Amino acid sequence: MVQGELWRDRKRHLGLPLSFTKYALTEDRIFVEIGLLNTELEEVLLYRVRDIGMKISLGQRIFGVGTVILVSSDKTAPKLELKNIRNPRIVKEQIHQQVEKMKLERRIRVGEVLEDGTDEEADEDDDDFTSHK
């Protein structure tokens, strides 16, 4: 699918890869390809990922799969779900490691500027200088 892949899987049904949705992780991006005849490819740059979550329902647990959720500052895919993948905890950690690596390489601060224009770190620091009555 994608050259230089670190991880690859498909969306699974009943634990089996019977889907035309494919996921791939490279050093700097995550890809989602959907479709057989008409395909749609979405990619998110890892340094834009702001939060990584995971959910595993009872049904998913029975079949050994889960969903990893990425929240990013990407305009076209602000919330990307890697649904019904094997080993979701391991994949989540692998994505986390790559996200941190990309942020360090691009010298992106932990407290990036939020979409509303406020600075996340500045808001936290302001509490230290306010007088408490």
Side-chain angles (χ1 to χ4, degrees):
M1 184 173 149
V2 180
Q3 193 166 353
E5 291 177 348
L6 301 174
W7 168 81
R8 173 178 35 174
D9 201 359
R10 287 178 178 254
K11 181 178 178 181
R12 295 170 177 274
H13 298 286
L14 303 175
L16 301 171
L18 303 173
S19 172
F20 297 108
T21 301
K22 302 174 189 173
Y23 307 113
L25 173 68
T26 64
E27 280 197 23
D28 62 343
R29 293 177 285 178
I30 191 147
F31 297 90
V32 177
E33 184 179 336
I34 303 169
L36 174 63
L37 300 176
N38 296 324
T39 60
E40 179 182 327
L41 180 67
E42 184 64 55
E43 69 180 70
V44 173
L45 296 168
L46 291 178
Y47 75 88
R48 291 187 170 181
V49 173
R50 302 172 70 105
D51 189 37
I52 305 170
M54 180 182 66
K55 64 181 178 181
I56 303 173
S57 69
L58 177 61
Q60 287 177 318
R61 205 174 335 172
I62 290 169
F63 292 105
V65 297
T67 300
V68 174
I69 304 160
L70 305 175
V71 178
S72 73
S73 59
D74 189 88
K75 298 291 184 198
T76 60
K79 184 177 180 183
L80 191 65
E81 291 188 355
L82 310 178
K83 296 180 182 179
N84 296 337
I85 58 172
R86 284 182 302 167
N87 305 315
R89 287 179 176 86
I90 294 170
V91 172
K92 179 183 177 283
E93 185 59 30
Q94 188 175 11
I95 292 171
H96 171 72
Q97 296 296 325
Q98 281 304 120
V99 166
E100 293 303 313
K101 182 179 173 185
M102 286 296 100
K103 286 183 178 183
L104 282 173
E105 284 182 14
R106 291 186 171 258
R107 295 183 176 94
I108 294 177
R109 295 182 330 133
V110 173
E112 291 183 58
V113 176
L114 300 174
E115 290 180 23
D116 64 356
T118 61
D119 189 339
E120 197 172 45
E121 283 184 349
D123 291 343
E124 291 173 4
D125 292 340
D126 289 345
D127 291 341
D128 295 337
F129 299 106
T130 18
S131 62
H132 298 284
K133 296 181 183 177

